[in-house]
Amino acid sequence: MESQRSRVVHLYKTLQYLGREYPGGSQKFRQKCHDIFLRNSKETDPKKIESMIEHGKFIVKELEALYSLRKYRAMKKRYYDDKS
């Protein structure tokens, strides 16, 4: 089983990677993500850390859904006219 530290690092890297396509601006997203991880870096309670990891995974899924929807809309716009 992976340690919590390695899971947190993996989550951070995943969010930083996904943040490069964020609609509100990649730099703003990445900085906000960095600030949140830095603010919670002193946490030692394993249950609270686990809860934060689960919340981070939820954010990853939401970002992936957002990007998929954006791609779908672009493809639909490309192939279908808006009159239907």
Side-chain angles (χ1 to χ4, degrees):
M1 181 162 180
E2 283 185 279
S3 70
Q4 280 186 332
R5 177 172 166 67
S6 64
R7 291 172 57 216
V8 169
V9 170
H10 182 265
L11 178 63
Y12 179 76
K13 287 181 179 182
T14 302
L15 285 169
Q16 291 293 318
Y17 177 77
L18 289 173
R20 66 194 170 106
E21 294 182 33
Y22 194 70
S26 64
Q27 196 60 29
K28 183 179 176 184
F29 177 85
R30 288 175 151 199
Q31 186 61 47
K32 190 171 184 178
C33 180
H34 176 77
D35 292 343
I36 291 169
F37 273 80
L38 191 62
R39 182 177 52 208
N40 292 317
S41 66
K42 303 295 182 200
E43 186 61 51
T44 57
D45 181 22
K47 289 183 181 181
K48 194 164 184 180
I49 293 171
E50 195 62 39
S51 171
M52 287 188 268
I53 290 171
E54 292 304 315
H55 183 71
K57 288 180 181 178
F58 174 76
I59 299 295
V60 167
K61 287 180 184 179
E62 289 292 315
L63 285 172
E64 290 171 344
L66 176 72
Y67 297 155
S68 295
L69 182 60
R70 185 175 65 189
K71 288 178 184 178
Y72 169 76
R73 286 180 178 164
M75 187 171 45
K76 185 177 177 184
K77 188 176 182 182
R78 201 173 297 136
Y79 292 107
Y80 299 104
D81 59 9
D82 291 338
K83 297 177 183 179
S84 48

